[in-house]
Amino acid sequence: MSSADHTILVSVANITKWLFTEPEQGVFNFTEGDIVTSIAQEHGLIQRCHALVWHSQLAPWVDNATAEWTPEALSAVIVEHVTKVMEQYRGKCYAWDVVNEALDEDGTYRDSVFYRVLGEDFIKIAFRTAAKVEPGVKLYYNDYNIEKPSPKSEGVLRIVRMLQDDGIKIDGVGLQGHFVASRPPTLDEQIATINAYGALGVEVAYTELDVRQTTPVNETSLEWQANAYRDAVGACVQAEACIGVTIWDFYDPFSWVPYTFPGEGAALLWFEDFSKHPAYDAVIEAMKNGTVSPCKRRERRRAHIAARSAELQ
Ligand code: 9MR
């Protein structure tokens, strides 16, 4: 990303997840996803779409321990789901998170109905289908704790190479960026990791950035948080492969953090009364201090959007 290239990326967050889009087999519901998407369209915002194949917020009919899927049957279910959801939003997404959080912390695959039945083929099936439905959209693998070099970031590199070796399209790696103010990854660690993904020819985005802290907040924790936001956005500005940053949820009251980590919160850039966290200015500062050629990203995105428009005509 460059310091001069700021466009607004939005995400639908929850309502295009499997649980909501295909609550029963073959029964699709796009009501709420359509509302958010049309707002994005009206305002010319670039939408990231989330998430096609994920073990969580998955419809119970898929994730039912008693359901005895054959590989063929589950594969058909993935194909049908990815196809129907992507068709609904064709031409409206900058990117899709095709597979979300397939890895455990040690870099091996997470236990999920998809992995149990299909092994790593479920990732190939999802990406292959997605590329067929909408060749022009960016296809991402998205995960958390992959923002610094670790066994898990190695796992991501392995997934990217696996798809590439099979000739399956993957365009991007999404770094969720759910950080803790007292121990975030350093700027250098993040740049090194983005560069490692970029070296495989994929782009990178921070897709769900937030930095949680113990509540109630104090000056020190707010300063730690500001530094963490500055380093994440700064890494994206400085590392060639990084195309943008999306924060997860809008302002503190909407955040998922206090529900999942009781005693922690204030993870976003605005407090409940809409006053700004110090991190807000840190983000602006990081965006201004880019070191990468100012026009490069904008040119690239314009070319991509022009190609997409031509394709849709
Ligand atoms: O923000 C989402 C929250 O409202 C949901 O309850 C939660 C359920 O897992 O999912 C949250 O979003 C997650 C995202 O889809 C994937 N990465 C982790 C996010 C935080 O849990």
Side-chain angles (χ1 to χ4, degrees):
M1 192 168 79
S2 83
S3 56
D5 177 19
H6 306 141
T7 334
I8 297 180
L9 279 168
V10 292
S11 170
V12 276
N14 270 324
I15 51 191
T16 45
K17 293 171 181 172
W18 198 312
L19 177 63
F20 306 111
T21 49
E22 195 183 1
E24 289 169 51
Q25 184 161 16
V27 177
F28 290 86
N29 180 351
F30 299 116
T31 313
E32 294 189 61
D34 287 354
I35 293 171
V36 175
T37 304
S38 63
I39 294 171
Q41 295 274 294
E42 269 166 41
H43 296 276
L45 308 176
I46 295 181
Q47 180 162 302
R48 296 199 79 262
C49 291
H50 175 81
L52 293 168
V53 177
W54 187 29
H55 68 279
S56 181
Q57 289 179 296
L58 179 59
W61 66 268
V62 185
D63 196 13
N64 187 341
T66 58
E68 301 216 345
W69 293 113
T70 61
E72 294 70 30
L74 189 59
S75 166
V77 160
I78 294 173
V79 170
E80 161 98 342
H81 183 78
V82 170
T83 304
K84 286 277 164 46
V85 178
M86 286 186 72
E87 278 175 347
Q88 179 72 14
Y89 296 106
R90 200 198 302 270
K92 296 181 176 156
C93 306
Y94 165 73
W96 263 109
D97 291 330
V98 178
V99 172
N100 198 38
E101 300 175 7
L103 293 168
D104 265 330
E105 294 307 292
D106 64 359
T108 62
Y109 287 109
R110 172 197 292 281
D111 180 47
S112 71
V113 63
F114 301 116
Y115 187 67
R116 276 196 299 278
V117 177
L118 290 161
E120 63 188 5
D121 275 358
F122 87 86
I123 301 175
K124 299 182 187 179
I125 294 163
F127 275 87
R128 206 182 278 125
T129 308
K132 213 185 271 175
V133 181
E134 192 174 4
V137 74
K138 301 273 184 188
L139 305 180
Y140 270 63
Y141 175 77
N142 191 51
D143 214 327
Y144 59 89
N145 287 350
I146 58 164
E147 300 84 3
K148 67 177 184 186
S150 70
K152 198 170 184 182
S153 73
E154 289 296 322
V156 176
L157 292 167
R158 203 184 61 236
I159 289 175
V160 174
R161 281 194 221 100
M162 169 187 81
L163 293 171
Q164 292 176 335
D165 288 350
D166 273 22
I168 301 171
K169 180 172 126 80
I170 172 165
D171 301 292
V173 172
L175 314 183
Q176 293 185 4
H178 294 298
F179 294 155
V180 180
S182 58
R183 47 187 159 85
T186 66
L187 175 70
D188 287 348
E189 285 171 335
Q190 293 178 75
I191 291 175
T193 317
I194 296 170
N195 287 343
Y197 300 134
L200 295 183
V202 291
E203 65 177 41
V204 173
Y206 284 81
T207 55
E208 307 181 13
L209 182 61
D210 54 20
V211 182
R212 59 186 186 266
Q213 53 192 312
T214 303
T215 49
V217 303
N218 58 48
E219 245 175 67
T220 308
S221 66
L222 285 170
E223 194 184 326
W224 287 343
Q225 183 190 50
N227 292 338
Y229 266 105
R230 185 186 295 108
D231 285 348
V233 175
C236 189
V237 169
Q238 290 180 50
E240 175 70 27
C242 192
I243 61 99
V245 178
T246 307
I247 57 172
W248 200 240
D249 294 322
F250 166 34
Y251 73 139
D252 290 341
F254 283 171
S255 172
W256 64 289
V257 169
Y259 303 99
T260 307
F261 301 100
E264 294 179 72
L268 291 157
L269 298 176
W270 294 270
F271 291 108
E272 192 160 355
D273 62 358
F274 278 113
S275 60
K276 292 169 183 156
H277 291 209
Y280 179 92
D281 291 323
V283 166
I284 303 291
E285 191 190 309
M287 288 168 93
K288 283 183 180 159
N289 290 341
T291 56
V292 177
S293 144
C295 298
K296 197 175 283 175
R297 286 292 151 200
R298 187 171 22 205
E299 279 168 14
R300 215 175 272 178
R301 186 169 295 131
R302 282 201 182 126
H304 177 73
I305 289 168
R308 293 292 312 285
S309 320
E311 197 183 287
L312 292 168
Q313 273 160 18

